[in-house]
């Protein structure tokens, strides 16, 4: 074979099928190589482990975003027909000072432009515009231990530059929030949501920072001072939110978390919960559903008729994972 199968210092594995084809697991390069019996290379499959793959039929039903890697379905005739294939690596290379994170959303906004919202970066959320020449930082929704920050393109060149410091939007000592859960979300209109505004308390608010529009360079505009409280503090149930989704079809809000009733059930995962709070777009409660098993992830579909909960058996010793669909 012409390729190095397994690089020094990392383990690999080998299997041979009934036709004598050799399948080599190259852990160091996150790939599986297939060779014919005579050693001819037949196929390479890559896999980058990112725990939050993202698809959006509103953008492209044949596109999958996994971290900074974009995969598209291959419709070319041949042995790889119908498979996901790596087509883009959206990692910026322009000496950026905000690193793109692992959990990213791709949104096509009202101006027809596609953007990637990186939700788990240090300093809040960074927005990247996808252009033919590559990916360009176009907005920052900043937050750190000192408070909140707004970014403006002071020189009007359309680029987020380190010299353009963020404007301090005010000390908000109780407004720290986790983007890792994600306790944040970006709906299909480009509005930025936070499921648990008061992160250090048990009863947070769900707030929305609306998209105000775009500047002349196509940068989306946000301002913390325009945030709206959609779901107020839940005094009765002491709802502690960890995860949030907004239905693209109805605008209804689904918040995953815990209540005082099931706060300590089953050893909760840091991004999970045991109750789903279903809200109308105006924030009024449609229903509060207590779930007897730990939920580690949540999703909505494009029709608005269903929502989904993802479960992990690691909390009950079963070692299994499953998804439930609810009407």
């Amino acid at each position: 074979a012409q390729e190095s199968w397994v690089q020094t210092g990392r383990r690999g594995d080998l299997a041979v099928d009934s036709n004598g084809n050799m399948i080599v697991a190259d852990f160091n390069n996150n790939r599986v190589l297939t060779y014919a019996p005579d050693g001819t290379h037949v196929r390479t499959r890559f896999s980058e482990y990112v725990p939050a793959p993202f698809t959006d039929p509103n953008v492209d039903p044949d596109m999958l975003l996994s971290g900074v890697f974009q995969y598209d379905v291959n419709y070319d005739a041949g042995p790889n027909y119908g498979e996901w294939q790596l087509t883009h690596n959206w990692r910026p290379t322009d000496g950026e000072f905000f690193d793109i994170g692992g959990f990213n959303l791709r949104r096509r906004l009202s101006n027809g432009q596609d953007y990637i919202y990186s939700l788990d970066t240090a300093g809040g959320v960074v927005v990247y515009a996808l252009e033919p020449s590559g990916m360009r930082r176009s907005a920052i929704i900043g937050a750190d231990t000192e408070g909140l920050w707004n970014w403006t393109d002071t020189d009007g060149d359309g680029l987020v530059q380190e010299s353009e410091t963020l404007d301090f939007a005010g000390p908000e000592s109780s407004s720290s929030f986790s983007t890792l859960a994600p306790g944040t979300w970006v709906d299909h209109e480009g509005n930025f949501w936070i499921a648990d505004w008061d992160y250090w308390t048990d009863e947070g608010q769900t707030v929305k920072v609306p998209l105000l529009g775009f500047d002349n360079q196509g940068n989306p505009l946000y301002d913390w001072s325009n945030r709206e409280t959609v779901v107020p503090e839940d005094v009765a149930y002491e709802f502690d939110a960890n995860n949030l989704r907004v239905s693209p079809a109805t605008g209804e809000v689904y918040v995953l978390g815990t209540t005082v009733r099931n706060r300590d059930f089953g050893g909760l995962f840091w991004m999970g919960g045991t109750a789903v709070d279903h809200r109308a777009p105006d924030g009024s409660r449609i229903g509060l559903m207590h779930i007897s098993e730990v939920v580690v992830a949540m999703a909505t579909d494009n029709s608005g008729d269903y929502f989904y909960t993802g479960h992990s058996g690691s909390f009950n010793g079963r070692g299994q994972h499953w998804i439930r669909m609810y009407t």
Side-chain angles (χ1 to χ4, degrees):
Q2 298 300 311
E3 298 194 41
S4 173
W5 285 6
V6 182
Q7 293 190 6
T8 305
R10 293 296 301 272
R11 63 190 179 92
D13 208 347
L14 170 69
V16 181
D17 66 17
S18 59
N19 296 318
N21 296 308
M22 296 169 285
I23 298 93
V24 181
D26 180 0
F27 291 92
N28 193 72
N29 294 300
N30 298 323
R31 61 182 181 172
V32 176
L33 304 159
T34 301
Y35 296 92
D38 64 357
T40 303
H41 175 250
V42 176
R43 182 180 302 175
T44 299
R45 292 185 174 92
F46 287 91
S47 174
E48 292 81 14
Y49 175 73
V50 176
F54 170 77
T55 61
D56 186 357
N58 289 325
V59 175
D60 185 348
D62 295 328
M63 181 273 296
L64 182 145
L65 193 66
S66 182
V68 297
F69 299 103
Q70 179 178 325
Y71 298 82
D72 294 278
V73 177
N74 177 27
Y75 289 111
D76 296 331
N80 297 321
Y81 176 83
E83 295 182 358
W84 295 103
Q85 291 199 333
L86 180 64
T87 56
H88 293 83
N89 182 347
W90 292 112
R91 185 177 300 279
T93 58
D94 58 348
E96 66 163 328
F97 58 100
F98 282 86
D99 186 24
I100 189 166
F103 185 59
N104 303 303
L105 301 174
R106 184 166 173 173
R107 294 291 186 233
R108 181 166 297 160
L109 301 184
S110 59
N111 62 350
Q113 174 72 52
D114 283 5
Y115 299 87
I116 286 182
Y117 287 78
S118 185
L119 295 186
D120 64 347
T121 53
V125 176
V126 184
V127 189
Y128 298 87
L130 303 185
E131 300 176 337
S133 58
M135 187 165 68
R136 169 179 63 86
R137 287 190 309 275
S138 62
I140 296 173
I141 309 173
D144 58 25
T145 56
E146 297 180 2
L148 307 172
W149 306 81
N150 293 318
W151 172 82
T152 54
D153 183 15
T154 54
D155 61 10
D157 65 354
L159 301 176
V160 178
Q161 297 163 326
E162 191 166 7
S163 59
E164 296 172 321
T165 57
L166 303 179
D167 297 325
F168 190 56
E172 298 282 354
S173 60
S174 64
S175 66
S176 298
F177 59 90
S178 170
T179 55
L180 287 171
T184 59
W185 192 246
V186 179
D187 63 27
H188 283 75
E189 283 70 49
N191 304 307
F192 176 59
W193 294 72
I194 305 173
D196 195 356
W197 179 256
D198 294 314
Y199 183 70
W200 302 116
T201 67
D202 287 337
E203 309 90 31
Q205 306 169 356
T206 297
V207 302
K208 177 176 71 173
V209 183
L211 173 65
L212 301 178
F214 306 90
D215 64 16
N216 293 332
Q217 302 290 339
N219 298 313
L221 301 175
Y222 297 91
D223 191 326
W224 286 109
S225 64
N226 289 82
R227 64 184 180 272
E228 308 167 3
T229 298
V230 179
V231 180
E233 176 182 335
D234 190 335
V235 178
Y237 290 93
E238 297 182 11
F239 193 88
D240 185 11
N242 291 322
N243 202 299
L244 179 143
R245 294 290 185 271
V246 179
S247 170
T250 66
E252 295 172 354
V253 182
Y254 296 83
V255 185
L256 171 66
T258 59
T259 67
V260 67
R261 164 180 163 179
N262 55 10
R263 182 86 71 222
D264 299 320
F265 176 81
L268 292 177
F269 189 40
W270 58 271
M271 63 178 285
T274 50
V276 175
D277 191 5
H278 183 195
R279 298 277 181 159
D282 64 1
S284 59
R285 176 171 280 154
I286 297 175
L288 178 63
M289 184 174 70
H290 292 275
I291 301 174
S292 60
E293 297 164 314
V294 174
V295 180
V296 297
M298 183 175 56
T300 63
D301 71 348
N302 271 27
S303 71
D305 296 330
Y306 307 96
F307 75 95
Y308 302 79
T309 55
H311 304 259
S312 172
S314 60
F315 294 103
N316 54 30
R318 286 189 283 181
Q320 299 178 5
H321 309 277
W322 63 98
I323 295 173
R324 288 210 167 96
M325 179 176 70
Y326 303 86
T327 59

